[in-house]
């Protein structure tokens, strides 16, 4: 989509004071001679008499980028946030976060732009700092001054962002904030038409987030966060991201660019709040793959107790705790691919357990040396149960020689509509290998199609990646994708 054509020529209204501000902008000594306690320079009257001969300062830029920058400017600029915390951070004690997050505009001023007068007026995000909604409608030149320290030398961001970048933010604050007071009450969307919201969703969001909004998990399995979760837990963040996009995700649209009405944002939010906040089968699939990575748990310092009952697989530590390491990517343990080779343990698969009741499966996961309840919550164990109950034998679909019974042409279409944004056209945009070699989508697909099918269905533990089951793709569609990615370069 063409992001900003119609904004590029958008201009800030000229304030006479702005010419003076711009003139002061280059003088680094200015802030030290104007302590924070002094009245803001911009409002001082004498300025007016000096200005008439100055050329008009017309600000132009991209307020959509400004909205993204407000969210997380370092990510948008592709830089590391400065070390430590901003100087202003030390003037409060209630928000105990440290590091990069404290440099985000939203952390001090809120997703609702209301600072202490809004959602960040309490809770762990409370700083007591002012909001920014009151500057809406203010001339962008004046706001630009605020970002360069006109109200406080500690609020000078010009060392970190160039003039155009600060201008984009100023334009956003001047003209593009949305006051949600009228349509969000107690976090609930008020007066939205969910049916129309579904239409907006289907047109703009469904390709990546899936029909139920659960194709991408933004957090990990210790507290999954889906599209619906954000809409319910933080409707202001949801609306901001819907309007401006997601820093670092180039292809996520900015609805502001499409000229939606305020009512349509309410509609979108109302619909999003009806979507699920958990998705047991895919969560279980990611836990089965690697529950330590999926939950962000600490590394294991010992081997799983049952490990000592076999000698053929010589891995140690975390690997010995992965469900897949004992039961296989094909869910068949010793009766499948792990019946020989370095992964051989002799342990059984889980396919024969698919027909068991939740109670039986729960008992198995809490049984003696096979007890995982010290590490996994009841919710996570239930997700594993939901997953196990639906596993099936992949033999009819993936052949012993690793070829896949799928239609690569259809797979290509699906790959291009969904996977390409992260993995690139040739599948080489992400390299999974942490050691010397290279490992791309094509490499792992050729090498271990069972593993890759599992990951395409459920997503990648500890990473934001599409869970194909939640795209409501059929098994055949998933196999088609697999067949296609087997044709991608392996190195
Ligand atoms: C560490 C917390 C913190 C961060 C990060 C921060 N601000 Fe502020 N901001 C403040 C405080 C405190 C004030 C009020 C005192 C002052 O003006 O310096 C303020 C004031 C403002 C004002 C003026 C509000 C008014 O009515 O006078 C604007 C506009 C503003 N900030 C925008 C931003 C933008 C945009 C960013 C991100 C680039 C940002 N701030 C980052 C703390 C922060
Ligand atoms: C091109 C794919 C794509 C499209 C289309 C898309 N998104 Fe996203 N969205 C993503 C990705 C990827 C992430 C996760 C980013 C991350 O956390 O790394 C995400 C994250 C989000 C988040 C949560 C961000 C967070 O950090 O909590 C929200 C909310 C969101 N999207 C809303 C929307 C809305 C609303 C639409 C439709 C207007 C939409 N997205 C369309 C790819 C997309
Ligand atoms: C160290 C190897 C090992 C790991 C890791 C492991 N299992 Fe097992 N699992 C076994 C063995 C061996 C059995 C056979 C029964 C027994 O000894 O408890 C088994 C049995 C099972 C059964 C069948 C129980 C039944 O009665 O039908 C299920 C289901 C199961 N495991 C699921 C899991 C899940 C889910 C995980 C990951 C959280 C996991 N296993 C991790 C070794 C392992
Ligand atoms: C929002 C970004 C995103 C999307 C969309 C996405 N992936 Fe991924 N994928 C990732 C990330 C991140 C990783 C993990 C990289 C790592 O672990 O280093 C990954 C890993 C993988 C792996 C390798 C897993 C491994 O460890 O061996 C495969 C295969 C894969 N993705 C296939 C796909 C396919 C097929 C699609 C489309 C159906 C897809 N991905 C969509 C981000 C994405």
């Amino acid at each position: 989509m063409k992001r900003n054509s119609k904004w590029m020529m958008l201009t800030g209204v000229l304030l006479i004071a702005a010419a003076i501000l711009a003139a002061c902008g280059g003088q680094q000594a200015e802030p030290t001679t104007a302590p924070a306690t002094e009245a803001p320079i911009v409002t001082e009257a004498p300025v007016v008499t000096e200005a008439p001969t100055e050329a008009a300062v017309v600000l132009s830029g991209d307020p959509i980028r400004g909205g993204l920058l407000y969210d997380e400017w370092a990510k948008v600029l592709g830089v590391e946030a400065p070390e430590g915390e901003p100087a202003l951070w030390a003037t409060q004690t209630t928000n105990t976060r440290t590091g990069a997050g404290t440099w985000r505009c939203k952390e001090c001023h809120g997703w609702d732009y209301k600072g202490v007068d809004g959602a960040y007026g309490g809770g762990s995000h409370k700083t007591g700092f002012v909001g920014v909604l009151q500057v809406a409608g203010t001339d962008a030149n004046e706001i630009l001054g605020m970002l360069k320290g006109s109200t406080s030398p500690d609020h000078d961001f010009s060392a970190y962002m160039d003039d155009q970048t600060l201008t984009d933010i100023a334009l956003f604050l001047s003209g593009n904030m949305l006051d949600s007071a009228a349509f969000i009450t107690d976090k609930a969307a008020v007066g939205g038409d969910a049916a129309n919201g579904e239409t907006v969703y289907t047109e703009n969001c469904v390709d990546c987030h899936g029909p139920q909004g659960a194709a991408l998990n933004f957090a990990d399995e210790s507290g999954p966060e889906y599209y619906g979760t954000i809409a319910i837990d933080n409707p202001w963040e949801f609306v901001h991201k819907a309007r401006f996009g997601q820093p670092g995700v180039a292809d996520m649209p900015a609805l502001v660019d499409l000229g939606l009405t305020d009512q349509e944002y309410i509609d979108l939010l109302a619909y999003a709040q009806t979507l699920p906040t958990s998705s047991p089968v895919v969560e279980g699939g990611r836990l089965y793959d690697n529950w330590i990575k999926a939950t962000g748990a600490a590394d294991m310092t010992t081997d799983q107790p049952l490990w000592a009952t076999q000698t053929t697989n010589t891995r140690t530590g975390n690997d010995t705790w992965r469900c897949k390491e004992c039961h296989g990517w094909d869910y068949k343990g010793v009766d499948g691919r792990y019946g020989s080779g370095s992964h051989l343990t002799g342990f059984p698969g889980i396919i024969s357990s698919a027909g068991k009741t939740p109670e039986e499966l729960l008992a198995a996961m809490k049984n003696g040396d096979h007890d995982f309840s010290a590490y996994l919550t009841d919710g996570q164990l239930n997700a594993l149960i939901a997953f196990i109950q639906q596993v099936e034998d992949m033999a009819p679909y993936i052949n012993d020689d690793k070829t896949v019974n799928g239609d690569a042409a259809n797979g290509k279409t699906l790959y291009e509509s969904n996977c390409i944004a992260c993995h690139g056209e040739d599948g080489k945009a992400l390299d999974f290998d942490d050691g010397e070699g290279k490992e791309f989508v094509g490499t792992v697909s050729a090498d271990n199609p069972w593993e890759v099918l599992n990951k395409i269905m459920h997503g990648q533990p500890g990473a934001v990646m599409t869970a194909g089951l939640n795209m409501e793709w059929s098994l055949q569609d998933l196999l088609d994708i697999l067949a296609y990615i087997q044709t991608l370069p392996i190195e």
Side-chain angles (χ1 to χ4, degrees), residues 335-353:
D335 300 319
R337 303 294 300 182
Y338 284 180
S340 64
S342 80
H343 288 280
L344 172 69
T345 57
F347 294 148
I350 53 160
I351 273 195
S352 56
S353 303

Side-chain angles (χ1 to χ4, degrees), residues 407-451:
D407 168 9
N410 180 46
K412 181 171 198 272
T413 307
L414 293 170
Y415 182 86
E416 284 173 352
S417 75
N418 190 285
C419 322
I420 208 169
C422 296
H423 291 288
E425 204 171 334
D426 60 359
K428 289 166 72 170
L430 292 173
D431 180 359
F432 319 125
D433 195 275
D434 27 25
E436 300 284 282
K438 297 233 181 290
E439 202 172 283
F440 303 119
V441 167
T443 327
V444 281
S445 305
D447 193 46
N448 194 338
W450 298 273
E451 171 182 359

Side-chain angles (χ1 to χ4, degrees), residues 287-288 291 304 306-307 319-324 326-327 347-350 352-353 356 360-361 364-365 367 370 372 376 384 388:
L287 291 164
Y288 180 85
W291 60 263
Q304 210 283 345
L306 288 169
W307 202 247
D319 282 341
T320 70
W321 291 86
R322 290 174 73 175
C323 315
K324 81 91 197 165
C326 294
H327 297 301
F347 294 148
I350 53 160
S352 56
S353 303
K356 295 200 170 170
E360 288 170 319
L361 292 172
M365 284 186 279
N367 181 29
H370 196 271
F372 291 87
L376 297 169
L384 278 163
I388 293 167

Side-chain angles (χ1 to χ4, degrees), residues 3 6-8 10-12 61-68 70 111-113 132-133 135-138 140 143 167-180 183 239-244 254-260 262 265:
R3 162 148 290 183
K6 75 167 167 281
W7 297 106
M8 286 309 288
L10 190 123
T11 55
D62 179 357
I64 297 179
R65 179 167 178 261
L68 277 172
Y70 180 86
W111 288 115
D112 56 4
Y113 321 123
V132 286
L133 196 56
V135 307
T138 303
I143 299 174
T167 299
D168 289 349
I169 302 179
L171 289 170
F172 154 70
L173 292 172
S174 177
N176 292 86
M177 285 185 286
L178 184 62
D179 184 355
S180 53
F183 64 85
V239 172
H240 182 90
K241 287 182 187 286
R243 297 180 71 228
F244 298 99
L255 293 181
V256 172
D257 207 22
L258 303 177
L260 263 68
D262 291 359
Y265 298 123

Side-chain angles (χ1 to χ4, degrees), residues 88 102 105 108-109 129 132 134 146-147 151-152 155 157 169:
L88 286 169
T102 65
C105 313
C108 293
H109 297 301
F129 293 149
V132 286
Q134 69 280 2
M146 296 168 179
L147 303 181
T151 55
S152 156
H155 200 276
F157 288 89
I169 302 179

Side-chain angles (χ1 to χ4, degrees), residues 115-425:
V116 67
D117 298 321
Y120 284 0
S124 78
H125 288 280
K126 180 180 175 177
T127 57
F129 293 149
V130 294
V132 286
L133 196 56
Q134 69 280 2
V135 307
T138 303
D139 182 81
N141 287 287
E142 195 179 325
I143 299 174
L144 181 59
M146 296 168 179
L147 303 181
K148 291 179 171 182
S150 70
T151 55
S152 156
D154 286 340
H155 200 276
D156 182 356
F157 288 89
S158 56
Y160 313 111
M161 289 177 257
D162 64 24
D163 246 46
Q164 187 59 59
T165 299
L166 292 174
T167 299
D168 289 349
I169 302 179
L171 289 170
F172 154 70
L173 292 172
S174 177
N176 292 86
M177 285 185 286
L178 184 62
D179 184 355
S180 53
F183 64 85
I184 300 175
T185 301
D186 291 336
K187 293 194 179 182
V190 176
D193 171 359
N196 186 51
E198 183 172 5
T199 306
V200 178
Y201 181 76
T202 306
E203 282 168 7
N204 300 288
C205 322
V206 77
D207 284 353
C208 297
H209 291 286
Q212 294 291 304
L216 292 170
N217 176 9
F218 317 126
D220 64 26
E221 267 39 76
S222 64
E225 268 179 19
Y226 301 102
Y227 185 91
T229 322
I230 307 275
I232 291 167
D233 288 354
N234 196 334
W236 305 280
E237 175 180 2
F238 177 87
V239 172
H240 182 90
K241 287 182 187 286
R243 297 180 71 228
F244 298 99
Q246 172 76 352
V249 183
D251 296 341
M252 184 162 130
L255 293 181
V256 172
D257 207 22
L258 303 177
L260 263 68
T261 64
D262 291 359
Q263 181 62 43
E264 284 172 298
Y265 298 123
I266 311 173
D267 298 347
L268 183 70
L269 179 64
Y271 175 65
Q273 290 189 334
T274 69
L275 294 174
T277 57
S278 72
S279 184
V281 172
V282 300
E283 286 158 21
R286 293 189 291 252
L287 291 164
Y288 180 85
D289 175 337
N290 192 336
W291 60 263
I292 296 174
K293 214 166 159 190
T295 60
D299 283 345
M300 290 302 202
T301 51
T302 57
D303 293 345
Q304 210 283 345
L306 288 169
W307 202 247
T309 66
Q310 62 85 43
T311 53
T312 36
N313 185 330
T314 56
R315 287 168 182 76
T316 57
N318 282 356
D319 282 341
T320 70
W321 291 86
R322 290 174 73 175
C323 315
K324 81 91 197 165
E325 193 59 41
C326 294
H327 297 301
W329 286 119
D330 58 2
Y331 321 124
K332 292 201 264 196
V334 68
D335 300 319
R337 303 294 300 182
Y338 284 180
S340 64
S342 80
H343 288 280
L344 172 69
T345 57
F347 294 148
I350 53 160
I351 273 195
S352 56
S353 303
K356 295 200 170 170
T357 65
E359 292 73 23
E360 288 170 319
L361 292 172
L362 188 62
M365 284 186 279
K366 291 184 165 181
N367 181 29
D369 283 346
H370 196 271
D371 183 359
F372 291 87
S373 62
Y375 310 102
L376 297 169
T377 65
D378 285 350
Q380 290 158 354
L381 291 172
N382 284 329
L384 278 163
I385 289 167
F387 163 75
I388 293 167
Q389 286 190 307
Q390 54 84 65
V391 295
E392 53 180 308
D393 188 349
M394 290 297 142
Y397 317 111
I398 304 178
N399 307 310
D400 281 346
D401 65 1
K402 302 189 185 176
T403 55
V404 173
N405 303 330
D407 168 9
N410 180 46
K412 181 171 198 272
T413 307
L414 293 170
Y415 182 86
E416 284 173 352
S417 75
N418 190 285
C419 322
I420 208 169
C422 296
H423 291 288
E425 204 171 334

